[in-house]
């Protein structure tokens, strides 16, 4: 769903966003947001640790977060150009395995709107 231009792929980029980004906690995710100094398209990263559950549960959560990130790119939550230059990393909490899609959607929508307003 997300093409390479919209993904955070390097460990250094993940480390930069998590350590220097603004943190906002939701019911089932923690989101780290920072502005990319190079600008460019918005990029998304996902951290789903083993504490979330087995491989099936972790992959389900990751797929849901990716689908919601794609929806954010399409402008469902905020205008598409307001995310320009943002890097967002979603860290799934253990409660995300049992959370409904609408709960995850609420978390992502709130995080994306906060990122767009900064």
């Amino acid at each position: 769903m997300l093409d390479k231009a919209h993904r955070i792929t390097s460990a250094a980029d993940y480390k930069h966003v998590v350590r220097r980004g603004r943190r906002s906690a939701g019911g089932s995710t923690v989101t780290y947001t920072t502005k990319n100094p190079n600008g460019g398209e918005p990029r998304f990263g996902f951290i789903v640790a083993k504490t979330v559950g087995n491989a099936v549960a972790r992959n389900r959560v990751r797929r849901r977060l990716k689908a919601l990130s794609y929806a954010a790119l399409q402008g469902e939550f905020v205008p598409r150009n307001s995310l320009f230059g943002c890097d967002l990393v979603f860290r799934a909490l253990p409660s995300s395995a049992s959370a409904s899609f609408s709960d995850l959607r609420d978390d992502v929508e709130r995080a994306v709107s906060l990122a767009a307003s900064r």
Side-chain angles (χ1 to χ4, degrees), residues 13-63:
D13 288 343
Y14 270 100
K15 185 184 283 188
H16 174 75
V17 174
V18 170
R19 289 194 177 167
R20 303 212 183 249
R22 290 181 172 237
R23 190 185 116 155
S24 63
S28 54
T29 62
V30 175
T31 306
Y32 302 93
T33 308
T34 188
K35 288 287 187 182
N36 187 349
N38 301 327
E41 293 289 324
R43 299 186 309 164
F44 297 90
F46 309 96
I47 301 171
V48 186
K50 286 188 176 182
T51 57
V52 172
N54 62 11
V56 174
R58 291 193 309 269
N59 285 327
R60 183 184 316 116
V61 169
R62 184 183 49 80
R63 283 191 311 268

Side-chain angles (χ1 to χ4, degrees), residues 13 16 20 47 64 74 79 91 95 101 106 116:
D13 288 343
H16 174 75
R20 303 212 183 249
I47 301 171
R64 287 178 173 181
Q74 301 307 311
R91 179 186 299 270
S95 62
F101 187 78
D106 293 342

Side-chain angles (χ1 to χ4, degrees), residues 90-111:
F90 295 101
R91 179 186 299 270
L93 299 175
S95 62
S96 64
S98 60
S100 68
F101 187 78
S102 63
D103 291 340
L104 285 175
R105 182 180 178 90
D106 293 342
D107 282 354
V108 171
E109 185 175 359
R110 189 179 56 74

Side-chain angles (χ1 to χ4, degrees), residues 64-75:
R64 287 178 173 181
L65 289 173
K66 277 187 172 185
L68 291 167
S69 299
Y70 182 76
L73 282 175
Q74 301 307 311

Side-chain angles (χ1 to χ4, degrees), residues 2 9 20 28 112 115:
L2 290 175
T9 55
R20 303 212 183 249
S28 54
V112 167

